[in-house]
Amino acid sequence: MVGSALAAAGSASAAIELTLPGTEVDGVQVAIQYDDFLSYSNALLREIQNTSPTILPESTFGSFSFATGTGGLDLLLYTGAGTNNRNQNVGGNAALDFEDPVSAPAGGESTFDGWWGQDDQDNDGTADSVNGPTTVGNIVDYLHFVNPDNSIPVFYMDMNQTGTEASLLFSARVALVDPDTGLIVHEWSFDTVLQPGDGDFDEGSQVLAAGEIPAVTGDSGATYGPVNHNLGSGRADFIAYAPTMDLSGFDPNLLFVTEFHIDGINDGFEEIFLSGAIAVTPPPNGVPEPATLALLGLGLGGLGWLNRRRKPAC
């Protein structure tokens, strides 16, 4: 889903899909694995596409300059810009009504914990009456409305930190919960502990989201960047998905719960979206090489940018 073309789309079928590339483009690492998730720097993808359009052609991948929530097709999970009825009548489809987004903290708070999808956004055991809960079947219906071939949800974040430093810490998980017992049936974790597939979420092992990253030179000789994620520009800065999160194989009655923990907030207007219009092709065996985890601290999309110009020779 992409840019002004999607904003003008009259139906989901008119949406332009964005397809994520592999974990490297022009010899530059553009994605890293965090536990069960692959996370991309969309700011870097956008820079590569703008600088070398033939290397990352829009005709193949779509435009990485898409605006957040474009066309009303994305679900808004977390925002500081008002939450009431923000996920209703998605894409003009009256059957697609979802839980309101979680409200981001205000008043100088720097820490946040939230749960979207279980109708209990502060996890205190009391329903919040925010149009929830959300089931696996609800999410699959949404994904198929946007793209009949897609059953893997993709998440993205628009950063709004001040300055250029890496300052925001983030961990999250998606849990499929039995609505009768409250037990987690399956989960996918986003943290710095590389234990893909075990569902062992460690909320304290947070990823440090990149601020500004220095210029990097690709195999073609083109220079990309520097790139700053802390702009609050209404564009996606990071895109993440779990390659194994194909929801078509799960009980549609399970609750679909997204949990996130954020520290170091210095502005408060970050936004997190769930999108069905970003297509993904899972890498071999579902995950990339785990050696990339050694690059921790370089960002949510995070990467071998510092002191790295090209992929080293094998």
Side-chain angles (χ1 to χ4, degrees):
M1 119 172 70
V2 177
S4 59
L6 185 57
S11 67
S13 62
I16 301 173
E17 291 184 4
L18 182 70
T19 302
L20 293 175
T23 56
E24 291 193 358
V25 175
D26 194 18
V28 176
Q29 191 178 2
V30 294
I32 192 170
Q33 181 187 359
Y34 290 115
D35 211 337
D36 296 310
F37 281 78
L38 274 177
S39 187
Y40 289 77
S41 167
N42 189 61
L44 183 57
L45 290 173
R46 187 165 57 239
E47 172 75 4
I48 292 173
Q49 187 170 66
N50 290 341
T51 302
S52 301
T54 59
I55 291 177
L56 205 57
E58 288 190 25
S59 59
T60 300
F61 296 97
S63 171
F64 290 98
S65 295
F66 68 95
T68 56
T70 306
L73 280 177
D74 291 338
L75 304 182
L76 182 56
L77 307 187
Y78 169 88
T79 183
T83 61
N84 290 341
N85 298 316
R86 294 292 297 275
N87 290 322
Q88 307 306 297
N89 197 31
V90 175
N93 186 337
L96 296 178
D97 286 344
F98 291 89
E99 182 168 315
D100 288 353
V102 181
S103 180
E109 297 178 51
S110 62
T111 299
F112 178 82
D113 303 285
W115 288 258
W116 182 89
Q118 63 181 11
D119 198 13
D120 182 7
Q121 296 187 341
D122 55 8
N123 204 38
D124 66 354
T126 303
D128 295 317
S129 299
V130 286
N131 300 316
T134 298
T135 67
V136 168
N138 296 149
I139 296 295
V140 171
D141 286 346
Y142 157 71
L143 294 174
H144 288 175
F145 171 70
V146 179
N147 178 351
D149 298 322
N150 184 24
S151 297
I152 299 178
V154 176
F155 303 86
Y156 65 84
M157 173 183 275
D158 180 13
M159 288 270 287
N160 200 39
Q161 294 286 90
T162 60
T164 59
E165 298 300 316
S167 53
L168 185 142
L169 290 158
F170 184 91
S171 62
R173 72 170 162 182
V174 173
L176 306 187
V177 179
D178 187 313
D180 297 320
T181 65
L183 297 177
I184 295 175
V185 175
H186 198 85
E187 63 182 293
W188 295 266
S189 301
F190 185 103
D191 55 37
T192 62
V193 182
L194 187 59
Q195 299 171 325
D198 67 357
D200 186 10
F201 176 49
D202 185 355
E203 68 179 73
S205 297
Q206 294 174 297
V207 175
L208 178 63
E212 183 176 83
I213 58 172
V216 57
T217 301
D219 288 342
S220 68
T223 299
Y224 308 113
V227 174
N228 184 12
H229 298 84
N230 293 344
L231 296 178
S233 60
R235 293 180 178 179
D237 292 301
F238 302 107
I239 301 174
Y241 77 100
T244 60
M245 197 188 295
D246 186 337
L247 297 179
S248 63
F250 291 93
D251 183 346
N253 296 307
L254 296 173
L255 300 185
F256 180 90
V257 181
T258 300
E259 171 185 349
F260 30 87
H261 304 273
I262 310 174
D263 288 295
I265 301 168
N266 64 23
D267 198 322
F269 280 89
E270 286 76 21
E271 291 188 314
I272 301 172
F273 295 82
L274 186 158
S275 177
I278 300 177
V280 297
T281 301
N285 303 318
V287 294
E289 295 181 5
T292 56
L293 197 69
L295 300 169
L296 288 174
L298 296 182
L300 215 112
L303 309 156
W305 293 312
L306 289 175
N307 300 318
R308 178 184 173 100
R309 294 297 179 266
R310 303 187 184 189
K311 178 181 178 182
C314 296

